[in-house]
Amino acid sequence: MTDLREAPEAVDGFDAARSPLTGTDSRGRVAELRAIQESALAGPSEQATEAQHAKGKLTARERIALLLDDGSFNEVEPLRRHRATGFGLEAKKPYSDGVITGWGAVHGRTVFVYAHDFRIFGGALGEAHAQKIHKIMDMAISAGAPLISLNDGAGARIQEGVTALAGYGGIFQRNTRASGVIPQISVMLGPCAGGAAYSPALTDFVFMVRETSQMFITGPDVVQAVTGEKISQNGLGGADVHSEVSGVSHFAYDDERTCLEEVRFLLSMLPQNNRETAPIEPTEDPVERRCEALLDLVPADGNRPYDMRKVIEEIADDGQFMEIHERWATNVIVALTRLDGQVVGIVANQPQSLAGVLDIHASEKAARFVQMCDAFNIPLITLLDVPGFLPGVDQEHGGIIRHGAKLLYAYCNATVPRISLVLRKAYGGAYIVMDSRSVGTDLAYAWPTNEIAVMGAEGAANVIFRRQINAAEDPEAMRVQMVKQYKDELMHPYYAAERGLVDDVIDPAATRTVLIRALHMLRTKHADLPARKHGNPPQ
């Protein structure tokens, strides 16, 4: 929260009294209007702008100009002023009240945006400020277009008391109402503390900029006072912390320009709302292109690691994809890409990290992504190479059952086209959870290197043939023999296909072609869920 008495530079250049009308005819009134508009566009003062730039930050209008197509911005309520009195507020009534709202276009498609202007009241939220945000959110929901917030504010405006604080409730309520209806993107470009941090947490994607943006419920001073722990703002809630440790942030960048350019790229892969599909982008990458490199990328030995990103790159149009939560829960990959121009969501185990096992964070990460794709009509492709769930006391006590069930629920509840592909191993409950045939995937494929089983052959043989192994003259030789027998009978690549659990075993080089043809067939898929108010997913 911000005390305006601590930030006088944020409101320099404003007088309490509105200038008297001076125009005597229409031309005079228009000239007067232009003068007022120019004053509103200029902001509080050159000094305030210089102070913003000195912090390595752009102004709100500069950010909007980078985000939107040139000349497309239409501002709403640029002349809005607060009506508060007391604590000196009656003497400071700047135009816009510290937030710029309106609509424009990104790649020619309508989006709505609001941007905090830190130069005015430190971007703090007051009653009029909140009402402007409420209005633009309502417009976005009614128009069925994405909403982007450019956050750079210091919390509720203390001088307006609980009236200002209540403004956040209206934002949270609208975030929730818009969830799964329109894409919501939060771009953190400055501080976001206290209750204000919950709005980004309710949106679909959170972008952050290193060094200049922070998010936390209680700041470093409060943390130190209560717990004795001393920590910096970035150490507590900076971009790297939230993109690597907490998982609050989906993306982190070094500068604002790159960050906003990536927001534009993400928007190009999302539909306008839940009643539309993402735009199809023509590609010259052939549908029939064979991916021979896959034969060498993925070792047949299930114990050898490899980078699943290279597999995604090989099958994607022109090798392009956008990874989400790249640095959090790295044992699973979630990404948006295109196949023959159609946007698809990829969920894949990453053998380079923890051998690709599922754990608490990976389950949460994948579940949220599956829900997002399902909400916005984006087909799902799941690439499996999973040895199971991560064992351990901390995982069990941390609720791996509950968190793993989130991913299971997300897949079972999804009605978009779903295709699964087993590259190598797929063991136990992790195989079932990762969109297997039994939980409703539309098409299930496997490579000839697949091993689909309850558990690895060594563990299975030790359980099933324990007595024979212990009674043998040479237990180790007997163990090797029993492992081979188990593999030959239950873990050969065609066992699942013979029982209808896999639709086909395919040549890895044909993966791109097979997936695209399946997606074309599934484009008209229609599935209804049971009539209900909403489900009660595991939390």
Side-chain angles (χ1 to χ4, degrees), residues 518-529:
L519 287 169
H520 285 176
M521 181 275 292
L522 289 167
R523 250 177 210 171
T524 56
K525 174 187 174 182
H526 176 76
D528 291 319
L529 290 172

Side-chain angles (χ1 to χ4, degrees), residues 201-506:
L202 289 169
T203 61
D204 300 301
F205 299 98
V206 176
F207 287 72
M208 294 188 74
V209 176
R210 294 184 180 92
E211 302 303 322
T212 58
S213 64
Q214 302 89 27
M215 298 172 65
F216 36 69
I217 299 300
T218 54
D221 292 342
V222 176
V223 170
Q224 185 174 3
V226 174
T227 70
E229 299 172 283
K230 189 173 183 179
I231 192 168
S232 67
Q233 287 195 348
N234 282 319
L236 181 63
D240 289 328
V241 168
H242 285 311
S243 62
E244 296 178 23
V245 181
S246 72
V248 170
S249 173
H250 300 79
F251 306 95
Y253 299 98
D254 291 330
D255 61 88
E256 293 188 17
R257 294 177 184 273
T258 302
C259 180
L260 292 170
E261 188 60 37
E262 290 300 299
V263 173
R264 287 175 57 86
F265 182 64
L266 174 61
L267 284 166
S268 74
M269 305 187 80
L270 298 175
Q272 290 292 89
N273 53 62
N274 64 340
R275 299 182 301 277
E276 299 183 9
T277 56
I280 293 176
E281 186 174 288
T283 178
E284 296 182 0
D285 197 345
V287 172
E288 306 296 331
R289 172 171 62 81
R290 287 181 61 80
C291 305
E292 300 290 346
L294 293 178
L295 296 169
D296 300 315
L297 277 175
V298 182
D301 180 356
N303 294 320
R304 289 179 57 193
Y306 62 93
D307 189 353
M308 183 65 82
R309 291 187 185 90
K310 294 187 180 298
V311 174
I312 298 171
E313 184 178 320
E314 185 64 25
I315 64 177
D317 288 356
D318 304 310
Q320 292 187 342
F321 64 94
M322 187 175 198
E323 186 171 353
I324 297 161
H325 272 318
E326 179 180 357
R327 298 164 63 193
W328 181 62
T330 54
N331 41 322
V332 71
I333 294 172
V334 296
L336 292 172
T337 188
R338 281 188 168 89
L339 289 175
D340 195 31
Q342 181 180 3
V343 175
V344 297
I346 302 283
V347 179
N349 306 110
Q350 172 57 297
Q352 271 194 341
S353 178
L354 295 175
V357 298
L358 288 178
D359 62 2
I360 288 172
H361 288 161
S363 298
E364 288 184 321
K365 172 178 169 177
R368 183 82 193 284
F369 181 75
V370 168
Q371 289 174 169
M372 186 279 297
C373 288
D374 187 51
F376 294 115
N377 307 311
I378 297 173
L380 285 160
I381 293 175
T382 304
L383 305 178
L384 287 87
D385 193 345
V386 58
F389 282 94
L390 181 65
V393 174
D394 60 334
Q395 288 289 307
E396 296 296 341
H397 289 185
I400 185 60
I401 296 172
R402 176 168 52 87
H403 294 288
K406 293 178 183 179
L407 180 54
L408 182 60
Y409 187 99
Y411 270 126
C412 290
N413 201 49
T415 61
V416 292
R418 291 153 51 191
I419 303 169
S420 66
L421 170 64
V422 179
L423 279 62
R424 293 195 309 189
K425 54 190 176 296
Y427 296 159
Y431 157 64
I432 299 298
V433 167
M434 291 285 289
D435 207 20
S436 63
R437 165 55 58 78
S438 58
V439 300
T441 194
D442 296 297
L443 289 167
Y445 296 107
W447 284 1
T449 48
N450 83 83
E451 292 180 354
I452 302 174
V454 175
M455 63 175 67
E458 288 77 9
N462 287 337
V463 173
I464 298 173
F465 306 113
R466 181 174 60 252
R467 291 181 180 178
Q468 294 95 315
I469 292 172
N470 292 336
E473 293 184 6
D474 186 346
E476 187 56 34
M478 177 62 72
R479 180 181 289 105
V480 171
Q481 179 183 338
M482 293 298 98
V483 167
K484 183 178 185 303
Q485 179 180 334
Y486 183 83
K487 281 187 174 182
D488 291 343
E489 293 185 12
L490 296 178
M491 290 184 66
H492 62 80
Y494 308 101
Y495 183 86
E498 290 170 359
R499 284 152 182 80
L501 299 175
V502 168
D503 290 291
D504 199 6
V505 179
I506 65 172

